[in-house]
Structure formats: structure tokens, C-alpha cells
Amino acid sequence: MKPLNDRKQIKMNLFEAKNLSVSVGDKIILKSLNLSIAAGEIQALLGPNGSGKSSLAHTVIGYPQYNVTGGEIIYKDQFINDWPPEKRSLAGLMITHQIPVNIPGVSVGEYLRLTTSKHHPAPGFRQKLRDVLQKVGLGDDFASRDLDSGISGGERKRLEIATVLLHQPEFLILDEIDSGLDVDALKTLSQILKQYLNGNRSILVISHQEKILEILKPDKAQLISNGSIVKSGDYQLARDVNEHGYHALGVF
Ligand SMILES: Nc1ncnc2c1ncn2[C@@H]1O[C@H](COP(=O)(O)OP(=O)(O)OP(=O)(O)O)[C@@H](O)[C@H]1O
Ligand SMILES: [Mg+2]
């Protein structure tokens, strides 16, 4: 039985990583990482290249090569360490990928249907798909494109947002969704995300750029270095990082 104040703490959070340690093969990647996100909260996760941001996202969604060697992942008061990825996804967890997946021989429409169809009833999916592709600035005919045939970097990021709109996760990790988007697309898509969040869904925004944070206005910012959270603060912390760099903040 957990002590009362511990349980109270869990209740307030939608998501929590507690002393989370993760390895891939022999390599230790996350070390006693602590992070909690309340319902409706927007947090930024910042850190140097190779500090463990994408690895955290991959661990949260349950990629099997990310081996949890210690600690707990808690979502809606449940310990989900042993949940397979599909169960996590159906429960409302989602990540967008820094490097979107590429499957030869699968069309965009099929990909979106396969990855999100369990999240809403089959009748009406086609119309929904059309609406969502329209919304993210990809025409109707984009659904018939082969995922492996010359889709541009920015179009791939738009597709990631389309997946979010179809999936409607409660807790979303955006892993560098802004990289590769032109400045207008970034503005439009950030606004779409903001509208989607609507103050009652939670996100962790991983980014190396200020623009998306200016639009989404995170409630908190976390700095990760070498697999652990080393500093927490508000949006100003993210500004400080972008202005002065990690080195000046004592983060390496
Ligand atoms: N599947 C894997 N196999 C081997 N090493 C991995 C794997 N995933 C992550 N790593 C290593 O773990 C470390 C953290 O990588 P990660 O991708 O999480 O960094 P990041 O903070 O997202 O960096 P970036 O800002 O460059 O995207 C790196 O040294 C990386 O090479
Ligand atoms: Mg990364």
C-alpha cells in the first residue's frame, strides 16, 4: 500500500514517469527520470542532441527495444509498464515521430486507417479522413499516395498531425513536429494543435525551436541531460535555453 500523500500525488497527474530507467541493449539511456503532467497541461521538453528525449517518447508508447530497468510509468492512476503499445494507444497515449515511419507498398489512406481505425467507428472514416487531410493542408487525393513515394519532409509532418486529429489522444508527445515545416505551415499547424488541445488534453512538446513554443505557450519546461531531468521551470526557462544555450545554463 502506498503512503497517502503518494497516492494523492498520482491522482492529480494524468501521466507520470517515476525514477524511470531505460536501456537499449547494454546502453543505459534514461536514468531515474522524473516527470509528471497534469490533465490539460502543456509542457516543453528541451535538451541537447542525444540527451534522451525521443527515447522517453519511445518508452512511453512501449517500443519493445526500450527496456525499462527501473521505475514506473503511470497513466490515469494505472501502472502501465507492462502494457503493450496497442493497449497504451487505445487508452489515449500517442507520440508523433521525429522521423516519421515509412512503409513501402502502403498508401497514406491505408496507413491512417490502420493506425487510427480502432479509435473511431468504421462508418464515416472516409469522410473523416478527407476532412482531416483537408485541414492539415493535404488534398483529398493524398490518401492514395504511396507512403514510400516522394512525400516531402513537411508533408510527412502534416501527416503526423492528421494522425493526431484522427487518433484524438489524451496525452500526446510531439517529437520535433516542427522540424522541416516552413514558417507558414508551422503557424497553421500549431494553431490546429492548439485548437485540438482545447485546454483539456495534455502534451509534451519536444523541440529545438522557439516558434512552436511561442504559439503553444507551455505551462512548464523541463530540461533533460544525459537521460535525467536536470532543471524544471516555466516558459521562461525555454526562452533562456533558446537565448543562451545549454552550456550557459550549466546543462551539457
Ligand atoms: N534504439 C536505440 N539503439 C541504440 N541507441 C539508442 C537507441 N535509441 C536511442 N539511442 C541512443 O540514446 C541516446 C539518446 O537518443 P535520443 O534519440 O533519445 O536523443 P534525443 O534527445 O531525442 O536527441 P535529438 O535532439 O538529436 O533528437 C543517443 O545516444 C542515442 O544514440
Ligand atoms: Mg530526438
Side-chain angles (χ1 to χ4, degrees):
M1 190 81 172
K2 287 179 174 299
L4 184 61
N5 58 358
D6 207 16
R7 274 186 285 145
K8 250 173 141 180
Q9 178 68 28
I10 292 168
K11 260 236 152 344
M12 284 161 38
N13 293 324
L14 179 70
F15 173 86
E16 190 172 14
K18 255 183 162 178
N19 295 320
L20 184 64
S21 296
V22 170
S23 295
V24 175
D26 293 339
K27 190 176 162 111
I28 298 168
I29 294 181
L30 300 181
K31 299 166 196 166
S32 284
L33 180 140
N34 287 296
L35 180 78
S36 53
I37 299 188
E41 201 169 52
I42 300 176
Q43 292 198 18
L45 179 64
L46 310 168
N49 292 137
S51 52
K53 303 179 297 297
S54 297
S55 299
L56 174 64
H58 296 157
T59 304
V60 168
I61 205 63
Y63 284 1
Q65 65 268 49
Y66 292 81
N67 184 22
V68 177
T69 55
E72 294 164 348
I73 308 171
I74 300 162
Y75 177 63
K76 291 186 177 173
D77 292 353
Q78 291 178 279
F79 298 91
I80 66 164
N81 290 34
D82 298 329
W83 286 18
E86 192 185 46
K87 187 168 177 185
R88 298 182 195 205
S89 164
L90 287 171
L93 288 164
M94 184 186 166
I95 67 170
T96 64
H97 297 86
Q98 182 173 355
I99 302 164
V101 289
N102 199 8
I103 312 165
V106 173
S107 74
V108 165
E110 270 167 352
Y111 168 71
L112 290 174
R113 188 179 56 78
L114 287 169
T115 50
T116 67
S117 63
K118 289 204 172 146
H119 299 270
H120 37 74
F125 180 73
R126 274 175 184 279
Q127 185 57 45
K128 186 117 202 218
L129 180 64
R130 244 177 257 138
D131 294 348
V132 161
L133 287 176
Q134 199 75 41
K135 190 160 191 177
V136 299
L138 300 169
D140 267 8
D141 54 348
F142 212 83
S144 56
R145 287 278 298 270
D146 190 332
L147 205 55
D148 195 33
S149 66
I151 295 181
S152 80
E155 286 168 341
R156 283 186 189 280
K157 295 297 169 115
R158 288 170 193 261
L159 268 183
E160 292 285 287
I161 306 278
T163 319
V164 171
L165 297 177
L166 289 167
H167 184 146
Q168 302 264 315
E170 282 176 74
F171 176 45
L172 169 66
I173 302 182
L174 292 170
D175 193 356
E176 299 200 27
I177 193 71
D178 48 352
S179 67
L181 284 174
D182 71 58
V183 62
D184 293 338
L186 177 57
K187 249 188 229 165
T188 314
L189 292 169
S190 302
Q191 294 296 355
I192 289 174
L193 278 169
K194 202 169 171 179
Q195 193 184 14
Y196 156 77
L197 289 167
N198 195 23
N200 53 28
R201 295 181 171 114
S202 306
I203 48 168
L204 185 64
V205 188
I206 298 170
S207 176
H208 290 294
Q209 295 168 70
E210 178 127 23
K211 197 79 209 159
I212 190 168
L213 302 182
E214 268 172 24
I215 299 171
L216 292 177
K217 296 211 170 29
D219 304 292
K220 289 183 190 156
Q222 312 279 356
L223 289 196
I224 182 172
S225 171
N226 203 14
S228 305
I229 301 293
V230 291
K231 225 178 179 78
S232 302
D234 56 16
Y235 178 35
Q236 187 57 41
L237 179 59
R239 285 184 165 151
D240 290 346
V241 166
N242 284 312
E243 196 172 333
H244 305 295
Y246 293 109
H247 195 83
L249 291 170
V251 176
F252 302 97

